[in-house]
């Protein structure tokens, strides 16, 4: 994974580390993750199944109390015909609910892209865990931060397909993500994360009255007009609504088929948004150490980092399309 892409992933992951359970930020994140699951399913994994070379899967467990199916998006580590996932829970003191569920009922359902299969989950230990843990760190270095944050050892769970069909699905993932298709998938994934973070930023700005404030051009909105201004000028934490609509349309079009025009549009939008975040007073304020905010700072950092990814990968996808 490239440096900018790793930065974006780390920024988004730090959002989960920064928010408190039950807070507004926590509710926004939960809504974003639920939306990710729905988008993944609705598009058969065309959107949401990859972040550059990292593989994301849908893991469905059986609720140990309710008995109902519970689905989460998780990063995967390939291990031959098996997959491994890490029960990090963003470094929280407690294991995630999905891990508790699979301990009670190891039979799970895994979806990768459009294909799904049944697997049996097993918590690894000893040298096997250490080997898989090192491989997981190669894909998601943020796991080291999670481990330092808690005293519990983060469980590494091996997902073993119950039949040959599941093994075939996993084996297909070993094919490298290269060329224009890989670049486009990376761009779609980055834009999806960026758009979700922007929507969270807009909601936050509307609640706080954080109007746009571009000191360089002496443009400044008023809190009482933030709703109307968000359409033309954006807010202190998000781009104008028409830009977000264009971003959403271009992302969906690129997810459906290679389209240099859509890729170029996302690249241009990413560049414009990076410039916008740099000159916006509200953004600069929450990114400074003295102005760190438990909700706004991680949201804005995610917006800025993923916009940088869009600017970079948009140009590459357009030229390779």
């Amino acid at each position: 994974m490239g440096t900018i892409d790793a930065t974006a992933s780390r920024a988004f992951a730090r959002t989960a580390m920064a928010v408190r359970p039950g807070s507004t930020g926590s509710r926004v994140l939960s809504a974003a993750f639920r939306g990710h699951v729905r988008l993944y399913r609705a598009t058969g994994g065309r959107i949401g199944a990859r972040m550059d070379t990292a593989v994301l899967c849908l893991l469905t467990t059986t609720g140990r109390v309710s008995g109902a199916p519970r689905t989460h998006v998780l990063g995967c580590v390939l291990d031959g015909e098996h997959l491994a996932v890490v029960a990090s829970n963003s470094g929280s003191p407690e294991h995630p609910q999905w891990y508790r569920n699979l301990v009670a009922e190891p039979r799970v359902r895994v979806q990768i892209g459009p294909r799904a299969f049944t697997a049996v989950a097993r918590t690894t230990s000893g040298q096997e865990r250490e080997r898989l843990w090192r491989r997981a760190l190669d894909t998601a270095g943020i796991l080291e931060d999670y481990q330092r944050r808690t005293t519990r050892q983060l469980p590494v769970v091996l997902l073993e397909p119950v039949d040959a069909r599941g093994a075939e699905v996993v084996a297909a993932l070993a094919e490298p993500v290269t060329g224009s298709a890989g670049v486009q998938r990376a761009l779609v994934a980055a834009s999806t994360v960026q758009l979700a973070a922007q929507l969270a930023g807009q909601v936050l700005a509307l609640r706080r009255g954080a109007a746009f404030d571009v000191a360089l051009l002496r443009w400044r909105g008023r809190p009482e007009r933030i709703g109307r201004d968000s359409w033309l000028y954006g807010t202190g934490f998000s781009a104008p609504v028409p830009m977000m609509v264009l971003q959403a349309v271009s992302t969906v079009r690129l997810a459906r088929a290679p389209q240099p025009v859509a890729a170029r549009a996302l690249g241009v939008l990413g560049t414009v948004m990076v410039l916008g975040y740099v000159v916006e007073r509200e953004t600069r304020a929450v990114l400074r150490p003295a102005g760190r905010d438990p909700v706004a700072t991680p949201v804005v950092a995610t917006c800025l980092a993923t916009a940088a990814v869009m600017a970079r990968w948009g140009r590459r996808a357009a030229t390779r399309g």
Side-chain angles (χ1 to χ4, degrees), residues 1-11 51-53 186-187 190 305 309-310 312-313 316:
M1 181 177 291
T3 301
I4 295 181
D5 307 290
T7 301
S9 300
R10 185 175 291 267
M51 175 59 81
D52 197 9
T53 57
L187 178 57
V309 174
M310 287 171 56
R312 176 196 177 192
W313 288 98
R316 292 186 61 182

Side-chain angles (χ1 to χ4, degrees), residues 9 12-17 19 25-41 48 56-58 71-74 88-90 146 192-193 196-197 200 302:
S9 300
F12 189 69
R14 286 189 186 280
T15 303
M17 294 177 67
V19 299
S26 177
R27 290 192 291 272
V28 169
L29 269 182
S30 295
F33 290 141
R34 289 195 298 271
H36 192 163
V37 170
R38 295 192 182 101
L39 194 60
Y40 193 118
R41 282 177 167 163
L56 304 180
C57 71
L58 296 184
T71 303
H72 296 80
V73 181
L74 300 173
S88 67
N89 203 19
S90 303
Y146 290 161
T192 301
V193 173
T302 301

Side-chain angles (χ1 to χ4, degrees), residues 206-297:
L206 291 174
R207 286 190 173 187
R208 296 186 177 184
F212 75 93
D213 187 351
V214 184
L216 183 65
L217 301 177
R218 296 184 179 179
W219 287 354
R220 187 174 185 178
R222 296 202 298 265
E224 64 271 17
R225 296 174 54 181
I226 189 173
R228 187 183 71 175
D229 287 348
S230 67
W231 285 83
L232 297 175
Y233 309 108
T235 70
F237 303 141
S238 62
V241 171
M243 284 183 61
M244 289 193 284
V245 172
L246 176 59
Q247 180 181 348
V249 171
S250 299
T251 302
V252 171
R253 290 182 62 187
L254 188 62
R256 290 176 175 172
Q259 294 196 21
V261 174
R264 190 173 296 109
L266 290 177
V268 172
L269 287 171
T271 301
V272 172
M273 284 188 288
V274 168
L275 294 174
Y277 283 118
V278 169
V279 300
E280 169 59 52
R281 188 194 299 269
E282 290 282 353
T283 297
R284 297 203 311 271
V286 299
L287 290 178
R288 293 192 183 104
R292 181 173 176 80
D293 182 281
V295 177
T297 297

Side-chain angles (χ1 to χ4, degrees), residues 88-321:
S88 67
N89 203 19
S90 303
S92 298
E94 304 293 333
H95 292 312
Q97 294 297 329
W98 62 261
Y99 177 71
R100 296 182 180 185
N101 289 342
L102 64 78
V103 168
E105 173 48 70
R107 198 174 181 87
V108 298
R109 192 73 175 165
V110 181
Q111 179 177 339
I112 301 174
R115 303 177 67 183
F117 59 91
T118 301
V120 174
R122 173 174 61 82
T123 302
T124 61
S125 61
Q127 292 183 350
E128 182 182 37
R129 181 199 178 277
E130 183 64 21
R131 175 176 61 82
L132 294 173
W133 173 251
R134 291 301 169 190
R135 295 189 66 177
L137 291 181
D138 290 339
T139 302
I142 191 69
L143 290 171
E144 280 191 312
D145 295 338
Y146 290 161
Q147 184 61 85
R148 284 194 292 266
R149 195 184 186 201
T150 181
T151 56
R152 68 182 176 91
Q153 185 182 63
L154 302 185
V156 179
V157 179
L158 198 65
L159 305 175
E160 302 172 309
V162 299
D163 53 32
R165 181 177 180 275
E168 290 174 2
V169 174
V170 176
L173 294 175
E175 300 175 3
V177 182
T178 57
S180 60
V183 173
Q184 289 165 8
R185 280 198 293 267
L187 178 57
V188 167
S191 181
T192 301
V193 173
Q194 208 281 335
L195 191 58
Q198 271 211 83
L199 291 173
Q202 184 171 36
V203 170
L204 189 61
L206 291 174
R207 286 190 173 187
R208 296 186 177 184
F212 75 93
D213 187 351
V214 184
L216 183 65
L217 301 177
R218 296 184 179 179
W219 287 354
R220 187 174 185 178
R222 296 202 298 265
E224 64 271 17
R225 296 174 54 181
I226 189 173
R228 187 183 71 175
D229 287 348
S230 67
W231 285 83
L232 297 175
Y233 309 108
T235 70
F237 303 141
S238 62
V241 171
M243 284 183 61
M244 289 193 284
V245 172
L246 176 59
Q247 180 181 348
V249 171
S250 299
T251 302
V252 171
R253 290 182 62 187
L254 188 62
R256 290 176 175 172
Q259 294 196 21
V261 174
R264 190 173 296 109
L266 290 177
V268 172
L269 287 171
T271 301
V272 172
M273 284 188 288
V274 168
L275 294 174
Y277 283 118
V278 169
V279 300
E280 169 59 52
R281 188 194 299 269
E282 290 282 353
T283 297
R284 297 203 311 271
V286 299
L287 290 178
R288 293 192 183 104
R292 181 173 176 80
D293 182 281
V295 177
T297 297
V299 168
V300 169
T302 301
C303 287
L304 180 57
T306 47
V309 174
M310 287 171 56
R312 176 196 177 192
W313 288 98
R315 290 192 298 270
R316 292 186 61 182
T319 55
R320 295 189 181 190

